[in-house]
Amino acid sequence: MSDVVRLQERLSRTPRRDKVWHEAPAAVLLFTGVRYERLTPAMIAAKARARKASEAGNDARR
């Protein structure tokens, strides 16, 4: 079913590690996973034309 592992027993058997001091400060990086894009009026018009063309193509296939 399951095994019970006692951490205290395991820690007593492992050798101690030396403490490592890092000379450089830590850096915190955040990734929001969101891409922000600023559209110009010309880009908006081009997307609208492409959308209309694709919608017209979908109707023709049916």
Side-chain angles (χ1 to χ4, degrees):
M1 290 182 127
S2 65
D3 294 326
V4 176
V5 178
R6 295 178 188 260
L7 296 179
Q8 195 65 20
E9 292 174 6
R10 184 185 179 289
L11 290 176
S12 65
R13 286 187 267 149
T14 58
R16 290 190 171 239
R17 296 185 208 163
D18 293 334
K19 290 187 179 181
V20 178
W21 298 100
H22 299 285
E23 294 181 18
V28 178
L29 304 175
L30 301 176
F31 175 70
T32 60
V34 178
R35 178 180 166 197
Y36 295 98
E37 182 178 345
R38 179 172 293 182
L39 299 176
T40 63
M43 293 170 73
I44 294 171
K47 284 190 175 192
R49 283 193 302 269
R51 186 178 298 128
K52 285 181 183 178
S54 69
E55 288 174 359
N58 288 340
D59 292 339
R61 289 185 207 146
R62 290 182 189 177

